[in-house]
Amino acid sequence: MKETLLQEAQTALHHPSTEPEFPADKPLRIGFVSLGCPKNLVDSEVMMGLLDHAGARITNDPESADVLVVNTCSFIDSAKQESVDTILEMARYKTHGKARKLIVAGCLVERYRNEIQKNIPEVDAVVGTGELENILAAAGVTPRPRVQSPFTILTTVVATGSHPAAATPSAPAIITSPSSVSRPEGDLRESQGRFSRHEWDGAQPALPQYLYDENTPRLRATASSSAYIKIAEGCDHPCSFCVIPNLRGKFRSRRFESVIAEAHQLVAQGVQEITLIGQDTTCYGEDFGLKDGLAQLLDSLAKVDGLRWLRFLYAYPNKITGRLLETIARHDNICKYLDVPLQHAAGNVLKRMKRGANADIFLKTLEKVRAAVPGIALRTSFIVGFPGETEQDFAELMDFVREAKFDWMGAFSYSDEDGSKSFHLGEKVPQKLIEQRKRTLMRLQKSISKKAKQEWVGQQFDLLVENESEETPLLWEGRTQFHAPEIDGKVYINDFGSLETLEPGRFYKAQITEAHDYDVVARIVSPAL
């Protein structure tokens, strides 16, 4: 985001209203807006849990909120713009409505801590990615003593107002992991200036260190049947286009036993699908000295009784080991799904990205994955228009996509991020050409996807039914194990078979009857066993 975004925000609002004291005889109502990735969503759930545990009430109605919180994303320019727009939108509930406090949290704070309050005076406090517990003081809520045993996740969708008692999981067999220390790669890259924030005016020099644990209150905003578990935070990779390490800090894993305990707790509360998330989950446990730590973790989690689906996001290509693939293949409840953000396929572009490898190496990796886990769904994402990307580079990327035949693929237009190494590279690709290449790439993927989805017609799958379609009440939506939450295509259900109605969060057996570019249509055959 250019500085002018926050400067323009300075004139976008009227003067803030005078703040009266909050009523002492009733709990504060706090509204949350969470932007960006699932990792950011978990941060929001933790902050909501901390506030709820301290006696506040969470609402999704900004008009009724006493305090509003915007948890921001700062990954690329479009995400920053969305964050600023949302802050301004929520600020109007303060200048023209009931809200008396506006708090900004998340990645935008790490980058523009001083500028946010300077240029948007309606903002009362900021909370960075490593300061989640500061949300209590920022909101004016007095913390209560933590419940230490056994676990204090509170499961509720935002604004329901329900607070069921936490269930107690049976004590799992766990591997005890030591306190986290830095990976050698992280220490090396820190010495090389990878995490430097000196050029960011107002940024705190200390990197974020925070990790929630098994004793942290959490209010889930996902459907009752599905949940995310953040198993690691930060990143040590040197990717030249990315500022996430500067925003989130060095890579650090949660304790092994903490993750296992949280999984048991979630399943005891009715969760059937768990998605493990982190900037690079395949590095999990390396800071503990664990070899193939993610494979060990998956092996233990797959044995949690009642866990129907288990998946993880994201896999760094050179961290996909034989043991990891064998673990995915061996357990029926580990989804046959792998998200490997490759970023490009041309060797010289990948070199400038500080990623390494090339199309031939990637094809061999994909061949190994498909041989080890037959039928696995593969997802990737690419950056189009990286500085210096030539027509030949782009043609090589197109050829690679044709040959790789990914089940799912996303493409991002290169965003020139101040603070990234690529910001200082020459040979910028014109924006018009970037968008043209992106459209060309996605047209190719659409044809690949359409052909692949047509092969699904007639096949039967276990289907997790989510809800009525937002498009029409005549259709319901669901996902197979080959669909990660919120990012892949949809399964539309137009025939309930012998059933009168469907129950959200329940598994059914379904048969695919139609295929479209990315989505498919299904009929219910029977409730899944």
Side-chain angles (χ1 to χ4, degrees), residues 144-194:
R144 293 177 179 175
R146 290 280 184 88
V147 177
Q148 294 299 319
S149 177
F151 204 39
T152 57
I153 286 184
L154 303 171
T155 58
T156 178
V157 176
V158 176
T160 61
S162 60
H163 306 284
T168 305
S170 57
I174 56 179
I175 299 173
T176 301
S177 54
S179 299
S180 178
V181 295
S182 299
R183 298 168 66 240
E185 292 89 339
D187 292 337
L188 172 63
R189 285 168 186 146
E190 184 175 29
S191 71
Q192 297 170 341
R194 175 66 177 114

Side-chain angles (χ1 to χ4, degrees), residues 282 315-322 324-326 328 338-342 344 350 355-374 376-380 400 403-404 406:
T282 45
Y316 205 73
N318 66 358
K319 296 286 184 178
I320 302 172
T321 66
L324 177 61
L325 295 174
E326 187 275 331
I328 295 172
L338 194 63
D339 189 335
V340 191
L342 297 177
H344 215 279
L350 287 163
R355 297 276 296 188
N358 55 44
D360 289 339
I361 293 174
F362 288 159
L363 287 172
K364 290 177 182 177
T365 298
L366 299 180
E367 182 181 1
K368 179 180 76 171
V369 170
R370 285 168 167 152
V373 190
I376 193 170
L378 293 174
R379 178 181 179 86
T380 194
F400 172 74
E403 190 166 356
F406 291 100

Side-chain angles (χ1 to χ4, degrees), residues 75-299:
F75 179 47
I76 55 178
D77 272 348
S78 59
K80 295 174 188 175
Q81 182 66 66
E82 181 186 21
S83 293
V84 171
D85 291 345
T86 304
I87 294 168
L88 296 179
E89 180 185 355
M90 292 301 106
R92 290 188 175 93
Y93 289 101
K94 181 180 175 185
T95 57
H96 294 83
K98 177 184 177 182
R100 294 296 177 262
K101 278 191 176 182
L102 175 60
I103 301 167
V104 176
C107 291
L108 199 72
V109 172
E110 296 296 336
R111 177 64 181 87
Y112 299 101
R113 181 178 296 266
N114 289 354
E115 288 91 335
I116 290 171
Q117 289 184 283
K118 175 182 176 182
N119 294 298
I120 312 180
E122 289 78 10
V123 174
D124 298 281
V126 293
V127 177
T129 61
E131 307 167 325
L132 301 191
E133 293 184 341
N134 288 356
I135 192 65
L136 296 172
V141 176
T142 302
R144 293 177 179 175
R146 290 280 184 88
V147 177
Q148 294 299 319
S149 177
F151 204 39
T152 57
I153 286 184
L154 303 171
T155 58
T156 178
V157 176
V158 176
T160 61
S162 60
H163 306 284
T168 305
S170 57
I174 56 179
I175 299 173
T176 301
S177 54
S179 299
S180 178
V181 295
S182 299
R183 298 168 66 240
E185 292 89 339
D187 292 337
L188 172 63
R189 285 168 186 146
E190 184 175 29
S191 71
Q192 297 170 341
R194 175 66 177 114
F195 305 95
S196 174
R197 311 202 290 186
H198 296 307
E199 296 180 0
W200 290 357
D201 182 38
Q204 292 184 341
L207 291 171
Q209 296 289 329
Y210 184 81
L211 274 174
Y212 82 96
D213 61 26
E214 67 274 25
N215 293 315
T216 306
R218 180 177 165 194
L219 279 173
R220 287 195 292 112
T222 53
S224 60
S225 58
S226 300
Y228 294 107
I229 295 181
K230 188 189 291 191
I231 66 171
E233 181 62 278
C235 181
D236 295 338
H237 293 304
C239 307
S240 62
F241 54 82
C242 185
V243 296
I244 288 176
N246 308 67
L247 300 171
R248 292 276 178 177
K250 296 166 70 173
F251 180 87
R252 51 203 187 274
S253 304
R254 276 183 61 190
R255 293 178 297 111
F256 196 103
E257 60 272 22
S258 174
V259 178
I260 300 297
E262 183 174 10
H264 276 272
Q265 178 69 17
L266 290 168
V267 172
Q269 295 168 351
V271 169
Q272 298 182 75
E273 176 189 33
I274 287 176
T275 301
L276 307 180
I277 56 174
Q279 199 58 41
D280 177 7
T281 54
T282 45
C283 282
Y284 176 78
E286 290 185 3
D287 42 344
F288 299 146
L290 290 177
K291 182 176 176 56
D292 278 308
L294 178 60
Q296 293 187 54
L297 183 64
L298 289 170
D299 189 59

